[in-house]
Amino acid sequence: MSRQQTTELAVLGALSVQPMSGYAVRAAITETLGHFWSESFGQIYPTLARLESEALIVRDADGKTSGSTFRLTPSGRERLVDLLREPITAAPPRNGTLLRLFFGGLLGVEECRAILTEARSRAVAQLAALDAIRHGLEAETAADPDARYRLVTVLAGQHSARAAIAWADESLALLAG
Amino acid sequence: MSRQQTTELAVLGALSVQPMSGYAVRAAITETLGHFWSESFGQIYPTLARLESEALIVRDADGKTSGSTFRLTPSGRERLVDLLREPITAAPPRNGTLLRLFFGGLLGVEECRAILTEARSRAVAQLAALDAIRHGLEAETAADPDARYRLVTVLAGQHSARAAIAWADESLALLAG
DNA sequence: CCGAGCATGTAACACGTTACATGATTGC
DNA sequence: GCAATCATGTAACGTGTTACATGCTCGG
């Protein structure tokens, strides 16, 4: 029971920052929440239509241009806060890499080491990408206290990436010996 | 293109350890892969039926008892290895906790600290649970070299849990100051 | 005999991606 | 004018969970 409504949460959240088009919502989610969230157009547009019909957002036609701009209504903002408050249903964390390594005996040491090496590379790249974002946010924090919340999500990604690197190193050593 | 077929991989993997009933496959996945995988009956039974029709597994009627036992055929084992070798499509890692914290400004410091405290508790509990499993596996490793692969997945969970604890502590300090 | 757990399966629903179709706007 | 990008939407498909329906088996 009780749908997840996570897409609704992400869309309302994006619009809470500033009014924008559906296309821009997608871009904002990809760019800003990209390291822990994703949405496709096939989800976003139907969601926008439903939110509009429930008067949680309104659509302003952009004068002469083709697109439109969606804006949160007061009840939409209330709805967003309600969703934020809702208990977080811990999704089962399906991890394809671990599933493969668990049955690694069927693949052999070398292939498993390759999987680990690749996972390590991805983590190193992500750590570097998040480092750049982090420096920007730390500068912002002085002016905007709310930037701290965004910083918290970046820290999560960095801790997670560092853990992945340490795990890969330890596992590579274990499989080498 | 190219379906994920992750359920198929998990089911074949479970049966590669030993022949068992569908009910037992579900139990094995829940107990052994539980910290990084999950499957429901609604997925398992149709998958077993399909695998049987493709002759990747066979069903042995258990004499007089009601259930049946599924067993990998040689081609089923080949199929499993093929699936293990397939490139891992890194699933977008949707994290509901981070999505909420990102918009934490709308919730306020106290509610965000509560979310972090709860995330920390879950990580502490998981770390302890995995520690018990780890000790068992380390003992097994001497006798069964393949136990190392299972140990690798446990290490992943522990690194991840420790990272979550460190992240929660750092973030709680950040939001306190 | 009765309840707990074993066992199998289906139907309805929710969620999400991909591919497609269509057209406007803008910069070169 | 033409390509890239902005913009909106739909349809088909795949995947996954939940709830339901059904019956067996075994220990107390």
Side-chain angles (χ1 to χ4, degrees), chain A residues 2-47:
Chain A
S2 89
R3 301 167 279 180
Q4 293 287 92
Q5 289 160 306
T6 51
T7 295
E8 186 174 321
L9 174 50
V11 168
L12 289 173
L15 293 178
S16 81
V17 177
Q18 60 173 333
M20 62 182 96
S21 70
Y23 189 89
V25 166
R26 152 79 178 220
I29 289 173
T30 302
E31 284 158 31
T32 318
L33 315 179
H35 70 100
F36 61 87
W37 207 259
S38 71
E39 294 292 347
S40 60
F41 286 129
Q43 289 274 100
I44 287 173
Y45 283 113
T47 300

Side-chain angles (χ1 to χ4, degrees), chain A residues 152-177:
Chain A
V152 163
T153 67
V154 172
L155 291 178
Q158 292 204 300
H159 276 282
S160 166
R162 279 193 291 264
I165 294 167
W167 163 70
D169 287 338
E170 189 177 346
S171 299
L172 283 167
L174 184 69
L175 292 186

Side-chain angles (χ1 to χ4, degrees), chain A residues 76-140:
Chain A
R77 185 165 293 261
E78 271 174 46
R79 185 66 202 278
L80 171 55
V81 175
D82 285 348
L83 288 176
L84 287 173
R85 252 187 256 276
E86 235 168 60
I88 295 150
T89 56
R94 300 169 139 242
N95 184 323
T97 302
L98 293 186
L99 183 60
R100 277 160 179 83
L101 288 173
F102 187 91
F103 300 111
L106 293 162
L107 275 182
V109 170
E110 283 320 307
E111 285 194 66
C112 289
R113 288 175 57 85
I115 289 174
L116 284 165
T117 303
E118 215 228 296
R120 189 186 193 283
S121 298
R122 266 185 278 123
V124 167
Q126 192 182 38
L127 189 56
L130 290 176
D131 222 42
I133 299 173
R134 178 184 181 168
H135 290 317
L137 273 177
E138 279 171 342
E140 237 179 283

Side-chain angles (χ1 to χ4, degrees), chain B residues 116-176:
Chain B
L116 284 164
T117 303
E118 215 227 296
R120 189 186 193 283
S121 299
R122 267 185 277 125
V124 167
Q126 192 183 36
L127 189 57
L130 291 176
D131 223 41
I133 299 173
R134 178 183 180 168
H135 289 318
L137 273 178
E138 277 171 343
E140 237 179 282
T141 306
D144 177 11
D146 278 7
R148 285 186 306 168
Y149 297 104
R150 300 194 284 278
L151 184 53
V152 163
T153 67
V154 173
L155 290 178
Q158 292 203 299
H159 276 282
S160 166
R162 279 192 292 262
I165 293 168
W167 163 69
D169 287 338
E170 189 177 346
S171 299
L172 283 167
L174 184 69
L175 293 186

